Amino acid sequence: MAVTVREITGEELDQLVIQGKVLVDFYSKTCGPCKMLSFVLKDIAKGIDDTEIVMLDYDVNKEAVEKYGVSGYPTLIFFENGQEVERMKGLQQKPVILQMIKAG
């Protein structure tokens, strides 16, 4: 069963990361690489079922950006059971992101 990529708020993120596997994309609506990354994430979501993929608007969720130490966009953070497992900055390719999820 595929997952759906969805947008969440900082408050929702705090609740979501404490359980299971979550890949968070900190993005900006004005960022070209962020837009390209969203297509990659939607493609990845079609083939996985054990990892939640969510997007968090960098410009709107400043508290979450500060809390998680995000210094630019796009930034991907992979969480498992409340712990940050890995972080990547910039536009990433599908195989690199899949490796990050599988390693977690």
Side-chain angles (χ1 to χ4, degrees):
M1 170 98 186
V3 299
T4 303
V5 179
R6 61 187 175 98
E7 186 159 340
I8 62 169
T9 65
E11 294 81 25
E12 290 172 292
L13 178 61
D14 292 340
Q15 295 300 313
L16 193 59
V17 298
I18 59 174
Q19 55 191 345
K21 297 179 178 182
V22 183
L23 179 63
V24 184
D25 173 22
F26 287 84
Y27 80 101
S28 173
K29 291 179 179 162
T30 60
C31 164
C34 298
K35 292 174 185 174
M36 290 186 282
L37 183 59
S38 73
F39 291 112
V40 175
L41 294 176
K42 287 174 184 168
D43 189 43
I44 289 171
K46 294 176 190 174
I48 62 171
D49 59 5
D50 65 340
T51 302
E52 194 79 52
I53 300 176
V54 294
M55 299 174 69
L56 195 87
D57 190 327
Y58 185 96
D59 301 313
V60 175
N61 297 283
K62 292 295 186 185
E63 284 184 24
V65 166
E66 286 183 29
K67 178 177 180 176
Y68 293 99
V70 177
S71 60
Y73 47 79
T75 296
L76 293 173
I77 305 178
F78 182 68
F79 294 93
E80 188 168 5
N81 298 321
Q83 299 295 314
E84 180 179 325
V85 176
E86 192 168 346
R87 177 182 299 231
M88 294 181 181
K89 293 182 180 181
L91 178 60
Q92 302 295 326
Q93 299 301 314
K94 181 178 177 179
V96 175
I97 298 169
L98 283 172
Q99 182 61 37
M100 178 171 62
I101 292 171
K102 289 177 183 170

